[in-house]
Amino acid sequence: MKKLFILFFFLITSILPSQNSDMFSHKLDDLVSLDVPKNFVESDTLIDGVKIHQIRFKTESYNFIVQKVLFENEDQKQSLSRLPYDYTSLIDEYNRVIAIMRYRVPYYLRTTTLVKKEGFTGYNLKFVNDLETPTYEAEFYLLNKNLYTFFYASDTQFDPNVKTELFNSVKIDTKKDISQYLGKPPKYRLGYVIATYFFLSLLIVWVIIISIKIYRKKKGKSSIFHE
């Protein structure tokens, strides 16, 4: 949950320099690319242990922000991963994202729509102001262990054609190994923990027994297990 607060704080408060309109394709990382202007800003930040990679740019009429936020530590054991493990758990995770975004964005959430990009499931959110005029639109996808969010904002000149062009420029490299279901169900995680402690307990008992046998043998005493 802390990661989501950090995510949307940056989405709303980032200060963006004005950019020109010449666009070209740029790789956010090995999985995702998008069109950006020549003088876009790209940064990496670590906030409270949360890794954030961001691209941002601004024109006279709109802001556009892209964020990649690590949702789970790279060294997390897959057997204990809390990431989504099926479609239902993915939607549950998305609903938590939507709840936080509804709270952080200073406008009214009007629509939430499931979307697909390159076969991957995401969400599109549309926000309006007091006059019911479109102001913000966001689209996000959880890919592997990262949440990718694409955010278009314009208080005065919201252009749906420009917005659509920007969102459509986002490409996911399907040749890469990508999954939205890397986690394990709660019952599996519980079973893994129980099994781990069970075998550790057996190992400890075995070590104790062997240690007692060695000790008694050194003392010239018969084994307590044969008395």
Side-chain angles (χ1 to χ4, degrees):
M1 192 63 69
K2 177 178 69 175
K3 296 177 181 180
L4 297 180
F5 275 103
I6 293 172
L7 166 67
F8 299 122
F9 175 80
F10 270 82
L11 284 175
I12 300 304
T13 62
S14 295
I15 300 175
L16 310 176
S18 180
Q19 307 291 337
N20 60 42
S21 59
D22 295 330
M23 307 291 281
F24 65 96
S25 181
H26 175 74
K27 295 182 68 174
L28 177 67
D29 60 14
D30 289 340
L31 304 185
V32 175
S33 62
L34 71 153
D35 288 348
V36 297
K38 182 178 180 181
N39 297 318
F40 72 97
V41 177
E42 188 167 20
S43 62
D44 287 294
T45 310
L46 193 65
I47 305 294
D48 292 338
V50 180
K51 187 187 299 183
I52 301 172
H53 184 65
Q54 185 181 83
I55 285 177
R56 56 194 189 276
F57 55 87
K58 179 182 180 179
T59 69
E60 293 181 354
S61 58
Y62 69 84
N63 293 325
F64 196 74
I65 303 173
V66 180
Q67 284 193 333
K68 170 188 173 183
V69 178
L70 183 63
F71 251 45
E72 187 171 77
N73 293 334
E74 295 291 354
D75 58 355
Q76 173 65 56
K77 288 185 178 180
Q78 186 174 355
S79 299
L80 296 176
S81 173
R82 294 179 178 272
L83 290 169
Y85 52 87
D86 60 11
Y87 182 80
T88 300
S89 60
L90 176 65
I91 298 304
D92 288 342
E93 190 67 49
Y94 282 165
N95 285 334
R96 285 189 282 272
V97 174
I98 292 171
I100 297 300
M101 184 176 281
R102 184 196 297 267
Y103 173 77
R104 299 297 295 178
V105 175
Y107 290 98
Y108 305 103
L109 178 59
R110 279 293 171 261
T111 64
T112 62
T113 307
L114 278 170
V115 292
K116 291 279 189 179
K117 183 178 287 291
E118 314 294 352
F120 297 103
T121 302
Y123 254 104
N124 177 279
L125 311 182
K126 290 181 172 63
F127 295 83
V128 298
N129 59 20
D130 292 330
L131 301 176
E132 293 294 320
T133 302
T135 52
Y136 285 64
E137 189 162 334
E139 198 164 292
F140 55 84
Y141 299 84
L142 182 60
L143 306 174
N144 291 342
K145 294 185 177 183
N146 294 283
L147 183 72
Y148 296 81
T149 303
F150 310 93
F151 200 81
Y152 175 92
S154 179
D155 293 328
T156 58
Q157 301 181 52
F158 191 99
D159 189 329
N161 293 325
V162 172
K163 179 270 304 179
T164 298
E165 183 177 354
L166 289 169
F167 282 176
N168 285 346
S169 77
V170 176
K171 306 298 181 184
I172 300 174
D173 189 351
T174 57
K175 296 179 180 179
K176 302 295 184 180
D177 187 13
I178 305 174
S179 176
Q180 296 189 292
Y181 311 123
L182 292 179
K184 296 295 182 183
K187 290 183 178 180
Y188 180 96
R189 297 199 304 269
L190 178 61
Y192 176 84
V193 171
I194 291 175
T196 299
Y197 278 105
F198 174 75
F199 285 112
L200 282 176
S201 299
L202 287 181
L203 178 61
I204 291 171
V205 171
W206 180 80
V207 169
I208 291 173
I209 291 174
I210 295 300
S211 298
I212 291 175
K213 285 186 174 182
I214 293 174
Y215 173 79
R216 293 179 68 87
K217 185 176 182 180
K218 287 183 178 180
K219 293 295 184 178
K221 299 180 180 179
S222 60
S223 172
I224 60 174
F225 301 101
H226 294 88
E227 292 178 350

